[in-house]
C-alpha cells in the first residue's frame, strides 16, 4: 500500500493494483474565503498544491469522497474529475454527484468493486449541535485500511477499529474548530486514542485551512509514533 498526501485530506491510495483519489480539494491557494465563524480569517486553501491539479486526477481508477464539504470536494474537482471512473460516496451525496455527470457508486453498508470491498462506517464531525449541523459524514474501510474522514474520537470510531482491526488508519488531525463548540476533527488526544489501537496511523488534514490550528510539528512532538506526511510526500506502508 502506498499513500500520497496531496494537500489537506486529498490523498492518492495505491492498493490492490488501483489508484484511488480521496477527497479532492484542488482549488488554487486563496481561491475561497475563510470558513465562517472561525479564527485566523485568511482565504482558503492557505497553501498551494504540490502538483498541478490536472496531474492529480490523471490515471486514477476511482474517486472516493467522504462528504461534500468544500475542503473535501471543491469547484476545481467538479470540473476536472474523470467521468469514466467510479466515484464512491455516502448515499446522501449521490444525487449531487450524479447531477455533475459522475459515475456515482453510493456505498450503503458494503460495496464490492471488482473484488475490492469498500465498507462505509460512521463519523461524527464535532459534538452536539455543531456535529448535527455538519452531518452527514462517513468513514470507509477498504481492506485493512481505515479512512476515518472528518470525525472526532467517539464510541463509533472505537467500535469500527475493534470490528475491523485495520492495519493502517488515516485520520484527519488538523484540530479544526469554530469560535465555539470544540474540535470538529481529531486533535492530539483523539490521535492518541487511535494510535493506541491501530499499528500504523497517518495524520492528514493539516496546515491547509484557516480553521485547522494543530501543526505538524506539534503533533509529531506530542505523538511521535504516528506518521505526519508533508504535502506531496508518498508513504509506503
Amino acid at each position: 500500500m502506498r499513500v500520497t498526501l496531496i494537500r489537506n485530506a486529498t490523498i492518492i491510495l495505491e492498493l490492490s493494483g488501483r489508484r484511488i483519489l480521496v477527497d479532492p480539494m484542488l482549488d488554487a491557494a486563496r481561491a475561497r474565503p475563510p470558513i465562517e465563524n472561525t479564527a485566523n480569517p485568511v482565504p482558503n486553501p492557505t497553501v498551494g498544491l504540490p502538483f498541478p491539479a490536472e496531474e492529480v486526477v490523471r490515471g486514477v481508477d476511482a474517486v472516493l469522497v467522504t462528504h461534500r464539504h468544500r475542503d473535501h470536494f471543491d469547484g476545481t474537482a467538479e470540473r476536472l474529475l474523470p467521468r469514466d471512473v467510479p466515484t464512491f460516496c455516502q448515499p446522501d451525496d449521490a444525487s449531487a454527484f450524479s447531477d455533475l455527470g459522475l459515475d456515482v457508486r453510493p456505498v450503503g453498508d458494503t460495496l464490492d468493486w471488482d473484488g475490492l470491498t469498500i465498507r462505509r462506517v460512521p463519523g461524527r464531525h464535532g459534538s452536539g449541535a455543531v456535529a448535527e449541523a455538519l452531518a452527514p459524514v462517513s468513514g470507509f474501510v477498504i481492506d485493512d485500511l481505515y479512512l476515518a474522514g472528518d470525525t472526532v474520537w467517539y464510541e463509533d470510531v472505537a467500535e469500527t477499529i475493534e470490528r475491523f482491526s485495520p492495519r493502517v488508519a488515516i485520520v484527519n488531525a488538523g484540530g479544526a474548530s469554530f469560535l465555539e463548540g470544540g474540535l470538529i476533527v481529531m486533535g492530539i488526544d483523539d490521535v492518541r486514542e487511535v494510535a493506541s489501537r491501530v499499528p500504523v496511523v497517518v495524520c492528514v488534514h493539516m496546515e491547509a485551512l484557516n480553521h485547522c490550528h494543530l501543526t505538524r510539528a506539534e503533533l509529531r512532538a506530542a505523538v511521535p509514533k504516528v506518521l505526519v506526511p508533508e504535502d506531496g510526500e508518498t508513504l509506503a506502508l
Side-chain angles (χ1 to χ4, degrees):
M1 179 192 306
R2 287 161 55 92
V3 177
T4 300
L5 173 61
I6 304 302
R7 177 185 60 185
N8 196 48
T10 306
I11 59 176
I12 293 178
L13 300 176
E14 298 175 71
L15 71 168
S16 300
R18 309 172 209 206
R19 288 171 57 87
I20 304 172
L21 174 61
V22 177
D23 283 352
M25 180 181 79
L26 303 177
D27 284 349
R30 298 174 294 280
R32 302 193 305 273
I35 293 170
E36 293 182 2
N37 193 34
T38 59
N40 186 35
V42 298
N44 288 310
T46 59
V47 296
L49 290 165
F51 317 114
E54 292 80 3
E55 182 179 330
V56 174
V57 304
R58 187 177 302 134
V60 300
D61 298 300
V63 179
L64 188 154
V65 182
T66 59
H67 64 295
R68 283 196 313 118
H69 293 168
R70 298 305 271 178
D71 59 322
H72 295 259
F73 184 82
D74 62 15
T76 303
E78 289 183 6
R79 178 170 56 87
L80 292 182
L81 285 186
R83 269 52 180 176
D84 59 347
V85 303
T87 295
F88 302 108
C89 64
Q90 55 186 1
D92 298 82
D93 295 337
S95 177
F97 287 138
S98 180
D99 289 345
L100 294 172
L102 297 169
D103 180 6
V104 182
R105 311 281 182 91
V107 182
D109 294 317
T110 301
L111 182 149
D112 180 84
W113 175 39
D114 296 334
L116 189 66
T117 300
I118 302 173
R119 297 178 173 89
R120 187 171 63 89
V121 295
R124 191 171 74 190
H125 202 351
S127 302
V130 171
E132 292 179 10
L134 295 176
V137 298
S138 295
F140 293 84
V141 175
I142 309 172
D143 284 353
D144 60 355
L145 169 67
Y146 172 33
L147 284 167
D150 269 5
T151 188
V152 294
W153 175 264
Y154 76 118
E155 59 270 15
D156 283 352
V157 173
E159 182 179 333
T160 294
I161 293 170
E162 182 176 357
R163 177 183 176 191
F164 295 107
S165 299
R167 181 178 65 89
V168 178
I170 299 178
V171 299
N172 296 348
S177 64
F178 295 105
L179 292 176
E180 62 281 319
L183 295 183
I184 59 173
V185 299
M186 292 193 184
I188 288 172
D189 291 340
D190 307 76
V191 170
R192 284 198 181 107
E193 295 285 358
V194 179
S196 71
R197 294 164 171 83
V198 180
V200 179
V201 178
V202 180
C203 298
V204 299
H205 203 301
M206 306 186 75
E207 299 182 346
L209 298 166
N210 77 285
H211 70 327
C212 287
H213 306 297
L214 178 59
T215 68
R216 290 179 168 101
E218 289 168 338
L219 183 55
R220 288 173 181 140
V223 195
K225 68 176 291 187
V226 303
L227 302 174
V228 188
E230 299 291 334
D231 293 351
E233 183 177 354
T234 298
L235 303 175
L237 306 175

